[in-house]
Amino acid sequence: MSTVAILGIGASGVAAAHLALSKGSEVHVSDLKTDAAASARAADLRKLGADVELGSHDIDRIAAADVIVASPGIPPAAPVFRDLRARGRSWIAEPEFAVRFLEGTLIAVTGTNGKTTASVLIAHLLKSAGVDVALGGNVGGGFAPAASMLPIEHPDATCVVLEMSSFQLADIVDFSPDVGVLLGLAPDHLDRYASVDDYYADKARLFMNATAASRWVLNGDQPEVLELAGAAAGHRHLFSVSGIEGQAPPAAWVADGTLRVDLAALGRGDGPVDLIPVSELPLLGRHNVANALAAALAALLGGASVQGVRDGLRTARSLPHRLQPIGESRGVLWVNDSKATNVAATVSAVTSLSRPIVLLLGGKDKGEDLAPLITVLDGHVRAVICYGAAGVRFADDLTAAMQNPERLWRVEGGMDQAVAVARGEAKEGDVLLLSPACSSFDEFQNYEARGRRFTELAGEAA
């Protein structure tokens, strides 16, 4: 290719520019932002030979490029996309640009919740088995780079694991993973999508280029996942924690308290083998048992040995801000699940814990229906503290629906005030759980900053 236009100067846009420049392309980058961070990135790219425009998009120049690469943060209704459509031009997602320069087996991971945990775990299992693996994509949090850095940093990787968001899947054209993983579905990002169906439609694009050789790792406990996969070509490998009724037998499941896989279903052996007891899995929560099953299947399909998978499962570690135990004080276990930015993630956290829970809910309201959360509160949660911008609606809706609304507190102010109330309510043997079901943007820059503050407060309580 001779010219590449890149929309967006965030992490993915910068990575795509580095990759295009490394391949000898003429590179034009544009972004509407003009803040200090954007200006610093622009200066760095100009030094490398890119042309960078901040504050506007030169549609004529972008439309004239051989390849147009879009960053996932740009909304689908943005004027730049409208203008490009009017000129008959299309664009590709940044991860698709990256995989054009990668030869290894491609494992793509998506789903509403658990993507990062599962992606990191798959890479860990492959590495434990001695496979040369590269991890990237939507992982974030400093755990892995944007996809376009992988051809630069790991050009000869035997296996590539990419976490794919719905925003990235929305702009794929020829993207076709060898192994596609769909962990689960739940409403999310309704501040960007007009409906849940629109959100699910972007997830379904994972299957759009399926072939007879495609391998799909699917959550057999969720009918919506199987429905979304539809009649896509390829082989399906289901994982199940609760047991599948009326479906094909799973390829990975829990039997007698042990993680088990059917090697025959994977074309790797004669039948079922045990991996490790659930009690030996270091990750907290029932949903992480599902993540472990999915990761084991994906790793085995990616070339890992059974023993390598066993070793990797035993040495897995919780990622920060994802149902992460951060300390115990006066018999109360503090758990940081700040990454739970939607209702489904909070439901998963609540139902994964066996101890009584004092739950912190709040942040920037996404407008989600709280009904799924309401159904699990009375069975698992001893006290609920609502705070932040979402606090009023959450408190009103939960008070109207809970059997024992006296267990609910509405706290004026932010998370510090909510934690102070929660500490007063927590008893020995409880879990003090931050699993807010909201984004953090009313008070914090991101969920990581929120989780760090919660961890500081836990340290002060010790």
Side-chain angles (χ1 to χ4, degrees):
M1 83 194 80
S2 57
T3 59
V4 178
I6 297 167
L7 305 177
I9 200 168
S12 62
V14 168
H18 277 273
L19 177 55
L21 289 166
S22 75
K23 300 301 178 182
S25 297
E26 178 183 328
V27 176
H28 173 73
V29 183
S30 63
D31 197 309
L32 296 182
K33 295 177 182 176
T34 58
D35 57 44
S39 297
R41 295 187 191 108
D44 289 341
L45 289 177
R46 288 181 183 122
K47 290 177 183 177
L48 296 174
D51 175 75
V52 183
E53 175 187 18
L54 298 182
S56 63
H57 294 294
D58 184 338
I59 296 299
D60 289 335
R61 183 161 188 182
I62 296 168
D66 297 308
V67 177
I68 303 172
V69 180
S71 298
I74 304 175
V80 64
F81 290 149
R82 179 198 63 208
D83 294 342
L84 287 171
R85 288 189 193 98
R87 294 170 186 241
R89 288 307 314 271
S90 61
W91 53 91
I92 60 172
E94 177 265 329
E96 178 160 335
F97 182 63
V99 300
R100 293 182 175 187
F101 304 97
L102 291 166
E103 299 295 334
T105 299
L106 176 60
I107 300 175
V109 183
T110 196
T112 300
N113 297 306
K115 294 186 296 297
T116 297
T117 296
S119 298
V120 172
L121 183 55
I122 292 167
H124 175 67
L125 299 184
L126 287 162
K127 186 175 181 181
S128 296
V131 177
D132 182 9
V133 59
L135 170 68
N138 190 58
V139 179
F143 304 122
S148 291
M149 293 306 296
L150 300 185
I152 300 172
E153 298 176 352
H154 304 282
D156 300 319
T158 303
C159 195
V160 176
V161 180
L162 291 185
E163 178 186 333
M164 296 290 290
S165 70
S166 60
F167 300 169
Q168 292 169 324
L169 288 168
D171 291 327
I172 65 171
V173 177
D174 298 316
F175 186 86
S176 181
D178 299 294
V179 180
V181 182
L182 180 52
L183 298 167
L185 294 168
D188 199 9
H189 299 301
L190 297 183
D191 50 349
R192 172 155 169 161
Y193 290 98
S195 68
V196 172
D197 287 342
D198 287 347
Y199 168 54
Y200 286 179
D202 277 352
K203 291 292 189 189
R205 292 174 67 84
L206 178 72
F207 306 98
M208 68 181 287
N209 296 309
T211 71
S214 300
R215 314 296 287 266
W216 306 111
V217 175
L218 306 174
N219 187 342
D221 291 331
Q222 212 180 30
E224 298 91 339
V225 168
L226 305 180
E227 181 180 348
L228 201 74
H235 305 274
R236 286 160 174 72
H237 307 287
L238 309 187
F239 62 91
S240 171
V241 175
S242 61
I244 305 172
E245 295 183 5
Q247 301 290 346
W253 68 101
V254 178
D256 300 322
T258 298
L259 303 180
R260 181 172 292 176
V261 295
D262 183 359
L263 295 181
L266 305 181
R268 292 283 305 272
D270 295 331
V273 297
D274 291 343
L275 295 177
I276 66 169
V278 173
S279 60
E280 293 183 14
L281 184 68
L283 306 178
L284 183 66
R286 185 172 182 270
H287 66 288
N288 276 324
V289 176
N291 286 335
L293 292 172
L297 287 176
L300 288 166
L301 290 169
S305 64
V306 172
Q307 189 56 48
V309 169
R310 290 180 180 131
D311 293 342
L313 289 171
R314 287 191 173 97
T315 56
R317 293 292 178 265
S318 297
L319 298 181
H321 319 298
R322 295 160 175 83
L323 212 65
Q324 177 194 15
I326 54 174
E328 191 154 348
S329 174
R330 295 189 296 276
V332 176
L333 176 65
W334 290 57
V335 176
N336 170 17
D337 195 36
S338 182
K339 184 62 170 65
T341 58
N342 55 55
V343 169
T346 299
V347 169
S348 178
V350 166
T351 56
S352 288
L353 299 172
S354 58
R355 293 165 64 166
I357 297 169
V358 176
L359 176 64
L360 293 166
L361 293 175
K364 185 177 184 294
D365 196 348
K366 290 185 175 181
E368 285 189 73
D369 182 4
L370 300 184
L373 181 59
I374 291 167
T375 61
V376 303
L377 288 181
D378 284 310
H380 298 82
V381 177
R382 197 172 59 73
V384 181
I385 292 86
C386 300
Y387 73 95
V392 172
R393 182 176 80 89
F394 276 36
D396 288 346
D397 288 1
L398 296 177
T399 298
M402 290 176 65
Q403 294 181 15
N404 299 301
E406 66 274 6
R407 297 187 290 113
L408 184 143
W409 283 262
R410 160 76 178 111
V411 175
E412 298 290 341
M415 194 177 69
D416 281 28
Q417 291 78 14
V419 168
V421 174
R423 286 181 59 188
E425 293 301 318
K427 300 177 181 179
E428 184 176 351
D430 285 354
V431 174
L432 201 165
L433 173 65
L434 172 67
S435 189
C438 293
S439 71
S440 61
F441 302 130
D442 62 332
E443 186 177 0
F444 298 96
Q445 182 179 6
N446 49 44
Y447 73 83
E448 292 101 330
R450 176 170 62 189
R452 287 194 295 270
R453 180 56 185 157
F454 182 72
T455 301
E456 290 171 357
L457 294 170
E460 293 171 7

